[in-house]
Amino acid sequence: MTPDEALALALDRYQGGRPADCRTLCQAILRAVPDHAAASLLLGVAAFALGLAGESRRHLAIAIALKPDLADAYANLGVLERATRSAGAVAAGIRAIRLLAAAAGAAPFTQVGAMLREAGRGGDAPAFHHRALALQPNCGEAWREFGHALREGGAPALAGRAYDRDCRLVPGRTESASDRLFACLSAGDWSGYDGQCRRIAAIIDGDQGIALPLLTLLIDIGPARQDRSARLFHHLVVKPRADAGAPLRRPLAADGRLRVGYLSADFHEHATAYLAAELFERHDRARFRVLAYSYGADDSSPMRRRLEAGFDAFRDIRGADPEQVAARIAADGVDILVDLKGYTRHARLELLARRLAPVQVAYLGYPGTLGADAVDYLIGDRFVTPPEHQPHYRERLVRMPDCYQVNDRRRPLDAPVPDRAACGLPPDGVVFCAFNAVFKITPALFAVWMRILARVPGSTLWLPASNREAVANLRREAARHGIDPQRLVFAPHLPLAAHLARYRLADLALDSFPYTGHTTTSDALWMGVPVVTRMGDTFAARVAASLLNAAGLPETVTTSFAGYEALAVRLAEDPATRAAWRDRLAAGRATAPLFDTPRFTRHLERAYRIMWDRHAAGLPPEPFTVPPL
């Protein structure tokens, strides 16, 4: 068999879904003809398919060195660098465009636009997407990536239209239906909402394709569907390795301390950091060595500097491919790896899928299952993850004794309080605040809010000013419900201390549903503002109920929209009860379990030790409740 015949056979094997066979054939060709550029290129592609990023990069580089005008090598190298978050992605993609010119259609331009967005250069991306669509106006992938760029650029309504084009052009790419609905929610645009929700449910129920897990938390579809969506997403998108389910066997370090690694993109000014910073600082260093693995931006903020100082070691793994991350974590001897991201923006779940530590845990960043065999435990509590919910989780549920959510007692408290006029609020009347993200507002929830405003004359609803499209649409919806649009006041983004200070102007916080408030609810309670919530049947729909119980204010938890509405109206008319509850929350900053960070830390450490003891004894993960101190 000639080298060219062997190459044709290798390509056939690759296209037939057998990359390992393709790799073996290419290696044989290169042993006979070391300077065979096409074999090096195909070997690089096959190695990438097998998860061998280092080998892939090496052979693509050899192909380029042998044949500098090999555009496909630059294009594939760009895909590799993008997948592994390496800095060379954009340069490789632009080099491919220059070699391919317009003859290759939209694909190279779309790829570079995506790389620019992922590299934090979103402002440069639209020019490449416009060029892609000029070349191929009916290219669904080009519309999808354009939608991503528009959404990150703060134009969710335009993003929704771009996703809609992709849905029509490529009906089988079901994840775009989720992106379309998320963009519409972000714009406060509920036209077609019910139909879009039914479409997501049908995708999940019929195994028609991917429904994005995060989107399923925002609509009322229940825990069983959320679980089914997460499992399929993990299988098709994260693509776990065949050996990922087998726990590593590693003895405890000679000093007897557990090595706990925290993995996140959010070690900077971010909601997760606002909650967890004190946890990292308070771990008992006599029993634990605590490490950070950060793949997010360094914003040079005081929070970033505080986090860097709060760990025993802070590893910046931006740009590191999975093999390099695995080597770093192995060298550090991590016993328990805790993912703080889940299916949220910038997540790198391909890392967990490689089984980087003997015990792997999901915590804090994502209120739901990851559907992953390689994640052993998920940390919850008796409210968010009661025992009867275990069938809807691949992870084993760990129930903390008070509340699953940690809080930072160094959260700012004493910043100057602005006056109502400075915030655009009227001088009199009850102020309802609802500072959760706008994409958490559903039509049914908004209708409840409008009925509350109608029943409480002179009241105001204070919302976050996320984008101009949402402001216009929500005011239009208020008018449709018979409410003066000016009774909706929109609060601009402010630094944390100033944002928290303005809570003192609010009389009552109205929670979102079915994705209830997490950090936002803790913020309100920290500042002494009672929160009215509705508890549902999913993790995300039960978080605020957990927080309110741990803060000592269970009276504001309801189980229906009718109860939610009635309680909000009653409290609006009862300033004495609101004042008493404010006093209770103020006292609770020092006494309530929600804000007792040292107690929480000891409970979490007890959970880690129970996990490790089971592992060390050769026992499989099992659900358990952490004994209270």
Side-chain angles (χ1 to χ4, degrees):
M1 184 183 298
T2 68
D4 287 343
E5 289 171 339
L7 184 68
L9 181 60
L11 180 60
D12 179 72
R13 294 290 186 270
Y14 179 80
Q15 293 173 337
R18 298 165 60 183
D21 292 346
C22 172
R23 177 173 176 248
T24 299
L25 285 165
C26 289
Q27 288 170 334
I29 295 169
L30 290 170
R31 282 195 294 270
V33 188
D35 59 351
H36 200 299
S40 291
L41 168 60
L42 186 54
L43 178 53
V45 172
F48 178 63
L50 292 167
L52 304 172
E55 179 179 324
S56 176
R57 183 180 290 108
R58 183 169 63 255
H59 286 288
L60 291 173
I62 290 171
I64 290 169
L66 292 169
K67 194 174 181 182
D69 60 348
L70 193 58
D72 282 347
Y74 283 103
N76 280 284
L77 184 59
V79 171
L80 167 67
E81 302 292 18
R82 178 186 176 194
T84 57
R85 273 73 167 184
S86 295
V90 173
I94 291 175
R95 177 63 173 160
I97 285 176
R98 288 172 178 164
L99 292 169
L100 292 167
F109 293 93
T110 297
Q111 179 176 309
V112 171
M115 293 171 183
L116 287 165
R117 172 178 57 81
E118 292 167 357
R121 296 170 54 189
D124 297 329
F128 287 89
H129 292 303
H130 283 301
R131 180 60 173 155
L133 290 167
L135 290 168
Q136 286 184 265
N138 291 322
C139 176
E141 181 65 20
W143 281 107
R144 175 173 167 76
E145 286 294 343
F146 192 28
H148 292 341
L150 290 166
R151 188 173 72 188
E152 291 206 10
L158 290 175
R161 290 195 279 273
Y163 292 133
D164 186 67
R165 286 291 298 273
D166 181 41
C167 288
R168 296 173 188 276
L169 290 166
V170 191
R173 188 168 27 237
T174 55
E175 56 266 42
S176 286
S178 299
D179 283 317
R180 176 180 59 190
L181 180 51
F182 186 86
C184 291
L185 286 169
S186 299
D189 176 7
W190 303 319
S191 55
Y193 173 82
D194 290 338
Q196 290 188 59
C197 289
R198 287 193 296 270
R199 172 63 176 142
I200 301 300
I203 289 168
I204 297 169
D205 292 344
D207 287 330
Q208 297 175 18
I210 295 168
L212 299 179
L214 179 60
L215 188 278
T216 68
L217 308 187
L218 297 170
I219 60 179
D220 197 9
I221 64 170
R225 281 173 167 153
Q226 291 178 358
D227 175 36
R228 191 166 181 170
S229 164
R231 293 189 190 199
L232 187 61
F233 184 90
H234 192 268
H235 175 69
L236 294 178
V237 178
V238 180
K239 299 178 180 178
R241 293 161 59 103
D243 60 351
L248 301 169
R249 291 296 169 191
R250 179 184 297 149
L252 201 60
D255 62 7
R257 294 193 298 169
L258 273 176
R259 267 64 173 168
V260 177
Y262 288 95
L263 177 68
S264 183
D266 300 330
F267 292 127
H268 48 241
E269 293 287 343
H270 186 276
T272 297
Y274 297 152
L275 292 174
E278 189 178 355
L279 164 67
F280 309 135
E281 296 164 343
R282 285 200 164 267
H283 272 304
D284 181 355
R285 276 5 193 231
R287 298 185 300 124
F288 294 86
R289 176 169 164 79
V290 186
L291 306 100
Y293 297 92
S294 171
Y295 55 87
D298 178 355
D299 61 358
S300 299
S301 64
M303 176 58 77
R304 174 69 170 209
R305 302 288 86 87
R306 178 185 172 191
L307 290 167
E308 289 174 339
F311 288 92
D312 293 305
F314 191 98
R315 312 296 192 200
D316 190 335
I317 58 171
R318 286 177 295 170
D321 65 32
E323 292 173 340
Q324 293 168 323
V325 175
R328 177 71 269 176
I329 289 176
D332 288 335
V334 171
D335 302 307
I336 299 176
L337 183 63
V338 183
D339 177 67
L340 299 174
K341 286 294 293 178
Y343 291 121
T344 59
R345 188 182 181 203
H346 302 313
R348 292 191 64 181
L349 289 176
E350 80 280 5
L351 298 176
L352 288 181
R354 299 174 71 91
R355 174 62 74 174
L356 300 182
V359 177
Q360 299 196 143
V361 181
Y363 176 54
L364 193 62
Y366 182 78
T369 181
L370 303 185
D373 286 328
V375 182
D376 304 299
Y377 296 99
L378 180 144
I379 295 174
D381 60 44
R382 63 191 174 96
F383 290 97
V384 296
T385 52
E388 62 269 24
H389 285 194
Q390 181 62 73
H392 306 308
Y393 290 81
R394 185 64 58 95
E395 310 89 341
R396 301 295 92 184
L397 297 176
V398 175
R399 286 174 293 278
M400 298 288 280
D402 302 316
C403 178
Y404 88 101
Q405 190 190 87
V406 68
N407 272 275
D408 178 14
R409 296 175 305 168
R410 289 173 57 183
R411 183 191 264 114
L413 186 64
D414 298 322
V417 180
D419 60 32
R420 288 172 65 128
C423 294
L425 297 168
D428 302 302
V430 171
V431 174
F432 299 104
C433 71
F435 287 151
N436 290 330
V438 68
F439 56 73
K440 293 184 179 182
I441 305 175
T442 65
L445 175 68
F446 192 77
V448 173
W449 288 351
M450 295 304 98
R451 291 197 298 271
I452 292 170
L453 291 183
R455 294 176 62 184
V456 183
S459 61
T460 298
L461 179 60
W462 202 8
L463 299 162
S466 55
N467 60 79
R468 287 181 296 176
E469 296 163 341
V471 169
N473 284 330
L474 293 176
R475 282 192 164 141
R476 188 179 303 112
E477 284 293 320
R480 194 175 67 80
H481 283 274
I483 298 297
D484 180 355
Q486 297 309 307
R487 292 178 69 185
L488 273 60
V489 175
F490 291 89
H493 177 76
L494 291 176
L496 180 62
H499 167 64
L500 293 178
R502 62 187 171 187
Y503 266 104
R504 297 192 184 278
L505 302 178
D507 296 293
L508 192 64
L510 300 180
D511 196 19
S512 53
F513 186 86
Y515 198 128
T516 62
H518 295 43
T519 307
T520 306
T521 299
S522 283
D523 286 345
L525 298 175
W526 179 252
M527 298 306 295
V529 181
V531 180
V532 174
T533 190
R534 174 186 172 185
M535 185 169 71
D537 60 355
T538 66
F539 190 137
R542 303 167 75 89
V543 168
S546 173
L547 301 178
L548 283 158
N549 274 271
L553 196 63
E555 295 95 327
T556 59
V557 178
T558 69
T559 57
S560 67
F561 273 148
Y564 177 110
E565 178 183 337
L567 180 60
V569 172
R570 179 171 67 81
L571 290 174
E573 297 170 346
D574 186 357
T577 295
R578 295 201 312 270
W581 286 353
R582 279 184 175 274
D583 291 342
R584 189 193 304 179
L585 290 172
R589 291 191 202 107
T591 61
L594 182 62
F595 300 117
D596 191 342
T597 313
R599 174 180 168 88
F600 178 91
T601 305
R602 299 290 86 78
H603 282 149
L604 186 61
E605 291 174 345
R606 182 170 288 188
Y608 290 157
R609 179 59 68 172
I610 293 171
M611 295 174 193
W612 182 258
D613 288 346
R614 287 195 63 85
H615 168 78
L619 298 173
E622 286 294 337
F624 64 89
T625 297
V626 179
L629 293 171

